[in-house]
Amino acid sequence: TMYAAPGVGLAATQVGELWQIFVVDCAEEGQPSDLRVFVNPEIVSVEGKVTFDEGCLSFPGAREEIERGEKVRVRAQDREGKWFELEAEGLLAVAVQHEYDHLQGVLMIDHLGPLKKRLLHRKMLKREASATA
Ligand code: GNR
Ligand code: NI
C-alpha cells in the first residue's frame, strides 16, 4: 500500500490493522529501496527541532508545515522479533515520528492550531463531497 500510494511511510492503523507496526522507505527515487519495519516501536529520545512540509495518505492532497524533533532514537522489533535501535535524522526522523504518531492515534492535524485544523477539515469534507457527487 505504501509503494502503491506512493508514500515514504505507512502505519498499520492506516490500513485497518490494529497492530503496533509501521514501515518506512525514504530511499530517493531511482535508488534501491530502503524498507524499514518497526514493530512495537518506542521513541527513546528526541533532540532539536525542525519544521517539515508534511503530507499524509490519510489527508489526500494536504501539505502542512509541522514541527518535529530533528533527531530521534527509536527502539523497535524487526520482522524476526529482534530488538534494534536506530538513530534517525532528516526525512527518516520526520517519517518515524509521523508513523509513530499514527500508532498513538495522533495525526498530522493534531499538530496544527485550531484554525488550520478547521480549514483542513473543511477541505477534506469538500473533497469527499465532490468524490461522491
Ligand atoms: O508519504 C508520506 N510523505 C511524508 C512526507 C513528509 C512527512 C511525512 C510523510 S509520511 C507520508 C505517508 C503517510 O501518511 N504515512 O503515514
Ligand atoms: Ni500519515
Side-chain angles (χ1 to χ4, degrees), residues 28-60:
E28 306 214 1
E29 250 188 74
Q31 294 301 115
S33 76
D34 183 26
L35 181 66
R36 293 163 193 264
V37 180
F38 299 80
V39 179
N40 295 321
E42 298 163 13
I43 302 282
V44 178
S45 64
V46 184
E47 255 178 75
K49 277 180 183 171
V50 67
T51 301
F52 208 91
D53 189 32
E54 295 195 19
C56 181
L57 299 173
S58 301
F59 295 89

Side-chain angles (χ1 to χ4, degrees), residues 9-11 14 54-59 98-99 102 107-108:
L10 190 78
Q14 287 180 283
E54 295 195 19
C56 181
L57 299 173
S58 301
F59 295 89
H98 178 114
E99 303 313 334
H102 270 295
L107 300 171
M108 205 173 86

